[in-house]
Amino acid sequence: ATPPPASAPAASALPSSSDASDSYAGKPQFVDPALRNVTSWDVVNIAASSTLSVSKLDALGNLNKDTVYELLDSGVVLDVATDAGVSDMSDIVSIVDEHVRCLYDAIVNDNDATLTTRCYEALEKLPPLLGSQQRAAKAALGGAALEEMREEAEMKRSIIDEALDGVSESDDSTLEARRERDAAVAIIDGIDAVLARLPFEGKMP
């Protein structure tokens, strides 16, 4: 049998810290180009293996490039972008996209959000003031997008739990609803893992 694919490239394929420094230092951009091949959907979107639970596979099935644009339809996310001083739509898309990819990666890796930390470490290569500004803006916007997703998943879980109250778990007619609930829980747990890594209020990831 073919072994399940890894959720990330081998360590030798990952950019070294010096590579990240060379490619990112002094550039006022939010997404580190040295991580482009690490956070690529082509890399993270290989998680459908038998080693993952059904709930996680269902959750991952709800995360893709379209998820990013659905989040951008939210007035809340765009309002936070404005407040954070992120006015370029390409920057907004890049930041939200990167955080959704980090969520995907965290779910694949049993809620280990190490990739999130790596995506913020590169900002430390920038001059202190610029790096601090970029970090705060990126965390505010990325965090808002994830909070929006979490709120939706929490609502879904709550509604389904209420509907299933008193219904036997062995009732096959509720299988689809229970799968939706469990996928929502997987999304919530993954989001919490990523949010814990964001440098809010001066906290380093």
Side-chain angles (χ1 to χ4, degrees):
T2 302
S7 61
S12 60
L14 300 180
S16 67
S17 58
S18 61
D19 291 336
S21 176
D22 292 343
S23 64
Y24 196 80
K27 296 182 180 180
Q29 47 192 323
F30 290 96
V31 178
D32 180 5
L35 289 174
R36 188 174 295 118
N37 293 327
V38 180
T39 60
S40 167
W41 279 112
D42 292 336
V43 174
V44 300
N45 196 23
I46 56 176
S49 75
S50 59
T51 61
L52 293 171
S53 66
V54 172
S55 61
K56 288 186 176 182
L57 289 173
D58 287 343
L60 294 173
N62 293 322
L63 300 178
N64 50 56
K65 294 177 182 178
D66 290 338
T67 305
V68 176
Y69 294 100
E70 290 168 4
L71 287 168
L72 293 177
D73 285 337
S74 165
V76 173
V77 172
L78 292 180
D79 284 347
V80 171
T82 299
D83 292 342
V86 186
S87 57
D88 189 299
M89 184 54 71
S90 65
D91 283 337
I92 296 173
V93 171
S94 293
I95 291 171
V96 174
D97 181 79
E98 186 176 75
H99 285 77
V100 174
R101 297 181 195 195
C102 285
L103 169 59
Y104 194 113
D105 189 82
I107 293 174
V108 170
N109 290 293
D110 198 25
N111 297 327
D112 180 349
T114 300
L115 180 60
T116 306
T117 296
R118 293 193 60 203
C119 288
Y120 276 85
E121 283 177 342
L123 292 171
E124 297 174 35
K125 310 295 183 181
L126 296 172
L129 180 58
L130 178 59
S132 176
Q133 292 172 339
Q134 299 284 83
R135 187 163 49 245
K138 181 174 180 175
L141 179 52
L146 293 175
E147 291 283 8
E148 188 81 359
M149 291 182 65
R150 192 188 192 287
E151 183 177 333
E152 181 179 337
E154 186 65 61
M155 182 180 301
K156 179 180 291 186
R157 177 176 70 170
S158 178
I159 291 172
I160 295 175
D161 274 342
E162 185 175 343
L164 294 179
D165 186 33
V167 179
S168 172
E169 288 283 320
S170 62
D171 186 342
D172 290 341
S173 67
T174 65
L175 177 60
E176 184 176 346
R178 284 186 277 117
R179 283 185 61 168
E180 285 189 38
R181 176 199 60 196
D182 293 345
V185 171
I187 289 283
I188 292 168
D189 291 345
I191 288 174
D192 287 345
V194 174
L195 287 175
R197 298 274 187 150
L198 301 191
F200 292 128
E201 300 179 357
K203 176 180 74 67
M204 293 301 296

